[in-house]
Amino acid sequence: MGEKLLAQRLLALLHANNGRCSREAAVLMDWTLEQRDWLWPGRSWSDAPAPDLFGRASVSSLGWETLPQLIGEIRTLEPPSGLEECLDAVSGLLELDAFEREVLNAAALLERLPRLANLRMRLLGAGVDLTALVGCLAGARPAEAGSRVRGSLPLSLGLLYLGTDSCAGGLELAIQWRFGRVLDAGLSDEERLVAALTGVPQQAALGPEDFAERGEAVELLTRLLKGALRTRATGINVLIYGPPGTGKTEFARMLAANANAPMFAVGEADLDGGEPSRCERLQSLKRAQHLLARRGGSVLLFDEMEDLFSEATFAADGGRRAGSKIFVNRLLEEGRVPVIWTSNDIDAVDPAHLRRMSFVLRMDYPSAKARARIVARAAEAEEAAGAADGLAALLADEAETVSIARAALRTTAIAGGGAEDAEAVGRSLLLGLRRGRSLPPRVTGGGLDLGLYEAEQPIGPLIERLVAPGSASDFSLLLTGPPGTGKTALAAYLAQRLDRPLQAKRASDLLSKWVGETEANIAAAFAQARDEGAVLLFDEADSLLLDRADAQHSWEITQVNELLTWMDSHPLPFVAATNFAGRLDPAALRRFVFKIELRSMSAEAAGQAFERFFGVPAPSRLAELKGLTPGDFAVVKRQLRYRPEAVAAEILALLEGEVKAKPERAVKIGF
């Protein structure tokens, strides 16, 4: 439909359905008079209508009576414009029927062509229902024109939208912003139209090797996507959920790339390019589904799905719900293009929606090795390879580092800094994520000397058996002994030798004042360790495995039961450390495969520790000091940072002070 053809139809429609004295007639005549040289080029006009022999007005004058004949004389044959070619291409791509094509064309031409846009604004000012007007222009009967337009694909797919003109006050039918960009570019090529109308094309920055810990899920989901695309299966939905920064979106992009399928992210902006509403996100999803279903071979990404799903539930106060649960169910069941959904929290998602998922995958923070690989790629992208070294310590201990690494490296690169700046920026971002709470102390087994440990059985040979190639990984280890004997450091050393990350949990991380939450925290810790392939360490285990015979409350029993259940089924190393072995539940003690009681150091071990920590031979009187632990030597070494001139005798006195400070004993030297 060309510009003059639409003008001809519009003039005829308005003239036929409005009286001479109506506001619409006044608007029509004013506009026609202004545009008469364009509508009827080369015609000469008289100022006043002169009746002919039969009393009819001459068509050389323009008036209400002469307008019908003049409308018929408008020459509507025009070569198609770029706008019309674009509209035709979009209509064909979306497989619109004849009525929907005319609706789309009329609405777009009335908004985009200056002469017609001028008439459109005047009609809106006169209170004309533009929706009904466009419906009539597209061939609908006046009584059903508005409803047919409102139910048409151009509206339901979000190419057009309904609103109230803020200036004129009339009901307007306008072009959606994304479709407007398509018209601005004059696109008619199918591939470019698909990319423009569907969503933001996604490119994978990571490969399957970056999600090695998810190897089984990657392999299964890749086969699922390939099979769904090959058979054009409907209702294929994959949900990936987990805390922010765990790589859900990157995982989804990697899956699509692994399945050799282009991926488009839908519903990421509203009509003005800002934050979209639920309705706008739905329209974007429906448009992408409709457009890509015929072509096949593509995958959709719907990030932050809780925006859509959580609103399709009843309000907590029993009031009206924002969305239809049935509608969402059908959306999941009937989708003709596979969708990968991501969410930070699925607690608000109705179980009925979750049951309609093809696969649900929880994503936690990647392992230390995977984090290092991801950060290395980010450093390469930001041209900050040297600065990445500053994040090494944070990567090993803080799983969330991977979520802020790109920003930290970019900041460092812009500031022209190095590794030291990267660490400072990384720490600042992590503190921000923790709302200013300090980072937990680092647990490390680096440089550990097993010769300094005292136990009933030699520790070194046991460690070698545990880390030997082919050894079973589902063992549990209980470390007991007084403070400072190196229980936590030994667990970190074991994790290092096993080439696994250490996931350390203190009692404060797991215990909760809410009934049932401690058990949930215990379960989550085991599940996270399993997913990350980590060595799980429960420090202060006596708080969690308290003898049930001494329990005062039911929840003290259930938390022990929960922990024992997980110990029986956990497939990876589990280590518990406590200073108070006598408080542990007997059933828990029996379940530990290995039990090591660490003791204070012998005179020989203390002498070795003295030379190793302080670099000088141990004085003979050191052998008389009982109750020393590796922790005492570590504390004194930190004290010596403020007394670098101290000699062996002064160091010995400091060690004596540490022993005397222990509440369980007070040992004197030489007496």
Side-chain angles (χ1 to χ4, degrees):
M1 186 191 304
E3 185 176 15
K4 283 194 175 180
L5 178 57
L6 179 58
Q8 183 186 56
R9 290 183 181 179
L10 187 55
L11 294 179
L13 182 64
L14 291 171
H15 189 277
N17 291 284
N18 294 282
R20 179 173 186 170
C21 298
S22 64
R23 294 174 63 189
E24 291 85 347
V27 168
L28 174 62
M29 291 309 303
D30 286 345
W31 182 83
T32 306
L33 284 168
E34 293 174 6
Q35 301 297 332
R36 63 184 183 182
D37 291 336
W38 170 68
L39 292 169
W40 299 279
R43 179 185 288 272
S44 59
W45 304 94
S46 61
D47 294 334
D52 59 14
L53 295 175
F54 301 98
R56 296 175 302 189
S58 170
V59 293
S60 63
S61 62
L62 181 57
W64 187 255
E65 293 81 5
T66 62
L67 189 56
Q69 183 175 345
L70 289 170
I71 290 173
E73 297 178 7
I74 298 175
R75 296 179 181 178
T76 58
L77 292 177
E78 301 172 291
S81 63
L83 177 60
E84 294 170 63
E85 291 177 348
C86 179
L87 290 168
D88 286 343
V90 171
S91 296
L93 191 62
L94 295 174
E95 299 179 328
L96 302 183
D97 62 26
F99 173 76
E100 291 165 339
R101 285 174 177 261
E102 294 299 328
V103 167
L104 185 63
N105 286 352
L109 295 181
L110 280 171
E111 184 173 335
R112 285 307 178 100
L113 299 179
R115 296 184 183 89
L116 295 178
N118 179 269
L119 176 57
R120 174 181 179 274
M121 292 305 298
R122 295 186 187 190
L123 291 172
L124 281 171
V128 172
D129 181 349
L130 199 61
T131 305
L133 181 63
V134 168
C136 290
L137 286 170
R141 293 178 299 173
E144 62 179 17
S147 62
R148 285 192 65 184
V149 170
R150 287 189 288 272
S152 66
L153 278 177
L155 263 81
S156 65
L157 298 182
L159 302 179
L160 307 175
Y161 72 96
L162 296 175
T164 302
D165 185 80
S166 57
C167 299
L171 186 62
E172 68 169 337
L173 185 67
I175 296 172
Q176 194 254 21
W177 75 274
R178 186 180 293 280
F179 183 47
R181 291 183 178 177
V182 171
L183 298 180
D184 290 339
L187 300 180
S188 57
D189 175 73
E190 183 171 325
E191 294 299 325
R192 296 180 65 192
L193 276 175
V194 168
L197 289 173
T198 301
V200 181
Q202 301 295 294
Q203 299 295 327
L206 303 177
E209 66 278 4
D210 294 305
F211 299 95
E213 295 80 1
R214 305 283 179 185
E216 293 183 4
V218 170
E219 194 271 337
L220 172 58
L221 290 174
T222 299
R223 285 191 284 113
L224 172 65
L225 292 179
K226 286 183 175 180
L229 296 174
R230 183 180 64 255
T231 62
R232 293 181 177 264
T234 59
I236 302 302
N237 300 279
V238 175
L239 169 57
I240 304 171
Y241 75 99
T246 50
K248 298 182 293 294
T249 302
E250 282 298 337
F251 186 83
R253 292 168 177 159
M254 178 276 298
L255 281 180
N258 216 32
N260 299 315
M263 170 178 272
F264 301 91
V266 298
E268 296 193 337
D270 67 3
L271 302 176
D272 301 312
E275 182 180 3
S277 66
R278 179 177 188 269
C279 177
E280 288 161 338
R281 300 202 75 191
L282 268 175
Q283 285 183 332
S284 180
L285 176 61
K286 289 175 64 179
R287 182 172 61 248
Q289 285 273 12
H290 186 89
L291 203 157
L292 295 174
R294 177 174 64 88
R295 293 164 52 88
S298 297
V299 177
L300 297 177
L301 170 65
F302 198 104
D303 253 331
E304 310 293 345
M305 62 165 272
E306 55 267 29
D307 290 350
L308 171 61
F309 283 63
S310 61
E311 291 189 28
T313 56
F314 284 105
D317 60 1
R320 294 182 61 188
R321 60 187 179 190
S324 167
K325 179 176 173 180
I326 295 177
F327 175 83
V328 174
N329 287 344
R330 297 295 174 266
L331 187 73
L332 293 171
E333 294 169 349
E334 300 171 1
R336 295 188 292 165
V337 178
V339 182
I340 299 181
W341 310 81
T342 72
S343 176
N344 296 332
D345 183 12
I346 62 172
D347 288 344
V349 179
D350 194 287
H353 305 328
L354 293 177
R355 284 194 295 270
R356 285 167 171 80
M357 291 292 165
S358 308
F359 194 93
V360 178
L361 175 67
R362 174 177 171 79
M363 288 282 289
D364 287 302
Y365 293 106
S367 67
K369 281 188 174 181
R371 295 196 292 268
R373 289 195 302 267
I374 294 170
V375 170
R377 293 199 181 189
E380 183 180 350
E382 297 296 338
E383 298 182 355
D389 295 339
L391 299 177
L394 295 176
L395 277 174
D397 299 329
E398 302 299 323
E400 290 173 291
T401 303
V402 71
S403 67
I404 55 88
R406 187 71 179 260
L409 292 170
R410 183 170 186 268
T411 298
T412 303
I414 293 174
E420 194 172 309
D421 288 332
E423 181 178 6
V425 174
R427 287 188 176 278
S428 75
L429 295 174
L430 288 173
L431 286 171
L433 289 177
R434 287 169 168 73
R435 305 295 192 270
R437 297 192 300 272
S438 60
L439 302 180
R442 185 181 185 192
V443 179
T444 177
L448 190 69
D449 184 355
L450 294 181
L452 302 182
Y453 278 84
E454 292 287 341
E456 184 175 342
Q457 60 175 311
I459 296 177
L462 174 61
I463 296 295
E464 294 304 321
R465 290 196 296 273
L466 294 177
V467 303
S471 296
S473 59
D474 59 343
F475 64 84
S476 55
L477 172 63
L478 175 64
L479 300 176
T480 64
T485 48
K487 297 182 290 295
T488 304
L490 183 58
Y493 175 79
L494 176 61
Q496 185 182 67
R497 290 293 308 278
L498 288 168
D499 198 19
R500 294 181 180 273
L502 178 68
Q503 181 182 313
K505 298 291 184 182
R506 299 166 182 82
S508 58
D509 298 323
L510 301 169
L511 293 173
S512 171
K513 63 181 179 180
W514 305 110
V515 175
E517 192 164 301
T518 297
E519 291 89 327
N521 292 340
I522 291 171
F526 275 97
Q528 181 183 351
R530 180 195 61 217
D531 292 342
E532 295 186 3
V535 173
L536 179 59
L537 166 65
F538 277 7
D539 214 348
E540 304 164 10
D542 52 283
S543 300
L544 301 163
L545 288 172
L546 191 67
D547 192 339
R548 285 170 289 186
D550 299 327
Q552 302 294 317
H553 305 282
S554 61
W555 49 264
E556 293 176 313
I557 297 175
T558 58
Q559 75 181 35
V560 174
N561 293 340
E562 181 73 20
L563 209 163
L564 295 181
T565 300
W566 278 97
M567 284 180 63
D568 288 337
S569 60
H570 190 56
L572 296 175
F574 170 62
V575 182
T578 178
N579 300 334
F580 307 102
R583 298 180 183 177
L584 298 183
D585 187 90
L589 283 171
R590 289 194 302 271
R591 277 177 168 81
F592 283 99
V593 179
F594 301 103
K595 307 171 186 65
I596 298 178
E597 181 184 357
L598 301 179
R599 304 168 181 169
S600 56
M601 305 172 75
S602 65
E604 181 182 358
Q608 293 175 5
F610 198 97
E611 292 192 30
R612 180 173 175 228
F613 276 86
F614 310 122
V616 296
S620 59
R621 293 183 62 204
L622 178 66
E624 303 173 15
L625 187 58
K626 307 300 181 183
L628 282 171
T629 67
D632 298 326
F633 285 88
V635 169
V636 170
K637 185 173 182 178
R638 288 196 293 270
Q639 294 174 5
L640 292 181
R641 292 180 298 175
Y642 309 99
R643 298 178 60 179
E645 73 287 350
V647 296
E650 294 173 308
I651 296 174
L652 184 63
L654 293 174
L655 288 171
E656 180 186 6
E658 292 302 313
V659 173
K660 287 182 177 180
K662 298 178 181 181
E664 68 272 16
R665 67 185 67 198
V667 180
K668 295 183 179 180
I669 297 180
F671 296 94

